[in-house]
Amino acid sequence: MAAYILRRLVSTVAVMAIVGIFIFLLLRLAPGDPAAIIAGRSATEEIIAGIREQLGLNDPMPVQFLRWVRDMLGGDFGTSIFAGRPVLELISQRLEPTLSLSILTMILAVTVGVSFGILAAWRTGGIVDRLLAAFSALGYSVPVFVSGYFLIYFFAIRTHWLPVQGYVPIDSGLGPWFVHLILPTVALSLAYIAFIARVTRASMLEVLSEDYMRTAAAKGASSYAMLFHHALKNAGVPILTVIGISFAYLIGGVVLTETVFNIPGIGRLVVDAINNRDYPIIQSVLILTSGLYVLVNLTIDLAYTLIDPRIRY
Amino acid sequence: MLMQKSTENGVLLDVRDLETHFFGEESVTRALGGISFQVKKGETLGVVGESGCGKSVTALSILRLLPKLTARTVGGEVRFHGRDLLALSDREMRRIRGDHIAMIFQDPMTSLNPVYTVGRQIAEAVQIHSDASRSVAMAKAEEMLRLVRIADPDRRVHNYPHEMSGGMRQRAMIAMALACSPELLIADEPTTALDVTIQAQILRLIVDLKERTGTSVMFITHDLGVVAETCQRVIVMYAGRIVEQAQVNDLFARPAHPYTQGLMRSVPDRRQGRQRRLPEIPGIVPSLREPIVGCSFAPRCPFAIDICREKTPILRDVKPGHAAACWRSEEVIGA
Ligand SMILES: Nc1ncnc2c1ncn2[C@@H]1O[C@H](COP(=O)(O)OP(=O)(O)OP(=O)(O)O)[C@@H](O)[C@H]1O
Ligand code: SF4
Ligand SMILES: [Mg+2]
């Protein structure tokens, strides 16, 4: 196990190096000269050249790349071209709304998705099952900006039950914080609920027809024990896998949702940075989310061993 | 529900006209065409027949463990201590399962839950039917593993199924089934999936435990040799019906149904490696999707005459305690 974790960490470093090269190249090769952008519209050629020199943009690519990596390892993610402030500071200011939205979304998607899937599998062809089929068709195909505006219209504009948009930090009160996050969380969760529920259903159905389920029934086990004790743990590996995949897709959904609900999070930071060609921000957010994703996957792989004793690394 | 564990007249299980159908897309399979038999207290009843004749469906119908969506028992009664199990609520039925009637299955490789330890799975049976604490139930599990002669039971209770051999898993299944001291144990081909030497050990274990505990056993097998070694009485099934029913001695001495005779001629020699799955009686088994006119064995029967193809023979005594469903039993016995 320890050897496995070590091996995985080594390969994580390799993966991150490749991801780093890609991110670096992607933005260097994209059109638009950052030095010209920083300098502004009316800047002269000399000023631009000076800035380019100052940023090290004249050095060979490998040198630029290594310098970038070295700085990041030292905790320096560069300075925003547009805001002129350290990128890390900008990111940490935007972290809370994004983390709040992501965590609430994952909690909602996993609890509702897994329960929905279990109930659908328990009575195939029953009401819950048919509801899931209809719901997942919708959940997949309706994008966040449609479901988001729809929710805003009904639950905020028409009924005034919930705030229309915006974000309230958690220290201004748990209540207002939560109330503002309900609609964005629901809007963002729909697709993940559909996805997780479908996989849970399929995986439970497979398990429910296994011989050991009949053995459990022959013991006199209740439906509850059959579903949640005997079946769910066996169905757990695929369910955990889709939770990991959902997590990977989450970042894209967060960007959209933050825009629709006017939440000042990382997503908005990135959108603004792209509009401004603010390379240091774009690069840093990309590399940090990639790192997070790799870590989540490692955690999930290790969690498999807790679920299934036959999995040993 | 209160179940007196005593019985008058010695009959523990009384199955009457049990009829179970499978419902397919556009056809109905009559897997059990109305069978009646009894299991007496303390006896071992053998159930034999070729693959597909309805042995497992009989067992699953008794315990109401048929696949819900496709199968249904459409007629008959399953009287256990005089009460019809088919009329019980789900909750009452759960109290019967595992506690009063337990079952072990053919394939020990797939019948245990892979993600829980064997000890925990045995303990679960104990905890469902008593208010034993987890630790008391685990102690009981260890005791049961010792009873089924698994070495190092204190260590083995913590094993997962994949850490055990097939034979050991089947022992664990037996331990689980007997953990609540059931009055009836249904063993559905418990040795078929095992190696020959292990088969003999498991058979001996079941016979031995049966003698010690006084449990009645319904022993399902396709192997008449196994019946001879383990059972007092036997029912022979063919195409969803019982075609012969007798004391084991009588059956072997004077088989009264041509199908039984055919099975006997093809009793596999178990010393020569794995037994054959299908005894070699020429001809094909009738489809259970269409109603069968006349004797279902007629297409394969060397004794068949006109009446066989027109009228279905019913089970009738050839002597007290020995019945066969054949128009020509008397000639068959003499042959
Ligand atoms: N899941 C099922 N779906 C449809 N029909 C089934 C199913 N299971 C059993 N049957 C029908 O019921 C009949 C009896 O099957 P059963 O499993 O009781 O046979 P068996 O005597 O136990 O055979 P084996 O020795 O192979 O275990 C089969 O011939 C088949 O037609
Ligand atoms: S009834 Fe006729 S066909 Fe059927 S087993 Fe007897 S002799 Fe053979
Ligand atoms: Mg069977």
Side-chain angles (χ1 to χ4, degrees), chain B residues 57-285:
Chain B
V57 172
T58 303
L60 297 175
S61 301
I62 291 170
L63 275 173
R64 289 172 43 184
L65 290 175
L66 293 160
K68 274 198 188 62
L69 293 175
T70 52
R72 202 168 65 241
T73 295
V74 294
E77 292 174 3
V78 177
R79 299 201 161 268
F80 183 69
H81 285 294
R83 283 194 66 178
D84 186 7
L85 298 184
L86 301 182
L88 298 185
S89 70
D90 286 350
R91 171 184 281 268
E92 287 169 329
M93 192 62 214
R94 280 203 296 273
R95 291 202 199 131
I96 299 284
R97 291 188 198 122
D99 197 19
H100 297 270
I101 306 178
M103 183 160 176
I104 48 184
F105 299 93
Q106 177 169 332
D107 192 349
M109 304 315 265
T110 57
S111 295
L112 287 163
N113 193 324
V115 302
Y116 293 109
T117 62
V118 163
R120 205 166 154 195
Q121 294 183 60
I122 300 172
E124 186 193 2
V126 176
Q127 286 188 288
I128 289 172
H129 299 292
S130 70
D131 42 22
S133 67
R134 170 66 73 82
S135 61
V136 169
M138 282 302 280
K140 176 77 181 176
E142 194 179 319
E143 182 195 320
M144 292 310 297
L145 289 183
R146 187 167 289 120
L147 185 72
V148 298
R149 294 180 215 135
I150 286 182
D152 305 326
D154 51 331
R155 191 169 59 80
R156 289 294 184 180
V157 278
H158 303 298
N159 273 185
Y160 287 96
H162 73 274
E163 295 167 323
M164 291 185 156
S165 68
M168 225 185 287
R169 289 191 212 187
Q170 197 60 299
R171 284 171 195 269
M173 279 295 292
I174 296 170
M176 190 193 303
L178 295 181
C180 297
S181 312
E183 296 158 272
L184 175 63
L185 173 68
I186 302 177
D188 188 356
E189 309 204 34
T191 63
T192 311
L194 303 171
D195 288 342
V196 183
T197 48
I198 311 292
Q199 285 188 10
Q201 290 172 12
I202 297 287
L203 276 185
R204 223 174 303 128
L205 178 71
I206 293 174
V207 171
D208 198 54
L209 290 176
K210 194 234 132 195
E211 243 134 59
R212 259 209 263 174
T213 56
T215 305
S216 305
V217 178
M218 210 176 122
F219 199 104
I220 297 173
T221 174
H222 57 267
D223 184 347
L224 273 172
V226 170
V227 169
E229 284 168 42
T230 54
C231 304
Q232 281 97 52
R233 238 156 35 82
V234 58
I235 59 180
V236 180
M237 291 186 66
Y238 185 75
R241 288 172 189 274
I242 294 174
V243 294
E244 186 161 7
Q245 177 169 347
Q247 296 293 323
V248 167
N249 295 338
D250 289 339
L251 189 90
F252 279 93
R254 283 174 297 279
H257 197 283
Y259 176 64
T260 313
Q261 286 194 344
L263 282 182
M264 276 178 193
R265 252 179 256 119
S266 58
V267 166
D269 184 353
R270 283 192 294 135
R271 279 159 305 182
Q272 294 181 350
R274 275 178 175 269
Q275 63 220 52
R276 282 175 307 229
R277 188 83 185 123
L278 286 168
E280 286 159 10
I281 304 173
I284 47 160
V285 184

Side-chain angles (χ1 to χ4, degrees), chain A residues 47-249:
Chain A
I47 295 176
I48 294 174
I51 291 174
R52 193 176 289 130
E53 185 64 34
Q54 195 193 333
L55 290 178
L57 294 176
N58 290 328
D59 295 335
M61 289 268 199
V63 175
Q64 291 189 39
F65 176 72
L66 288 176
R67 191 165 51 218
W68 178 58
V69 171
R70 189 199 60 202
D71 289 350
M72 274 194 305
L73 292 178
D76 177 6
F77 282 76
T79 307
S80 160
I81 293 172
F82 202 72
R85 306 223 320 269
V87 170
L88 214 53
E89 185 191 311
L90 292 173
I91 288 179
S92 55
Q93 280 171 358
R94 304 296 193 97
L95 205 57
E96 189 198 296
T98 300
L99 275 185
S100 303
L101 178 61
S102 308
I103 291 171
L104 285 185
T105 298
M106 282 315 271
I107 291 173
L108 185 70
V110 170
T111 50
V112 175
V114 170
S115 324
F116 210 172
I118 292 173
L119 289 176
W122 184 41
R123 293 264 185 268
T124 29
I127 290 185
V128 179
D129 196 19
R130 275 178 289 170
L131 208 68
L132 175 60
F135 172 79
S136 55
L138 267 171
Y140 280 137
S141 52
V142 177
V144 169
F145 53 86
V146 174
S147 58
Y149 285 124
F150 188 82
L151 288 171
I152 289 174
Y153 179 72
F154 276 98
F155 294 100
I157 295 173
R158 283 281 296 263
T159 59
H160 299 289
W161 288 342
L162 293 166
V164 177
Q165 280 180 323
Y167 177 79
V168 174
I170 207 162
D171 1 311
S172 321
L174 214 57
W177 168 80
F178 185 71
V179 164
H180 278 83
L181 280 168
I182 293 177
L183 288 184
T185 301
V186 171
L188 181 55
S189 299
L190 292 179
Y192 301 110
I193 290 175
F195 185 39
I196 294 173
R198 289 271 280 246
V199 172
T200 303
R201 175 187 181 274
S203 163
M204 285 290 283
L205 271 185
E206 203 177 308
V207 169
L208 288 176
S209 66
E210 294 281 354
D211 283 354
Y212 53 76
M213 294 307 297
R214 200 180 47 193
T215 306
K219 270 194 253 192
S222 62
S223 305
Y224 178 84
M226 300 266 292
L227 280 179
F228 290 91
H229 181 69
H230 286 280
L232 186 56
K233 201 170 173 201
N234 277 286
V237 167
I239 296 175
L240 210 56
T241 307
V242 297
I243 291 174
I245 297 171
S246 306
F247 194 88
Y249 286 135

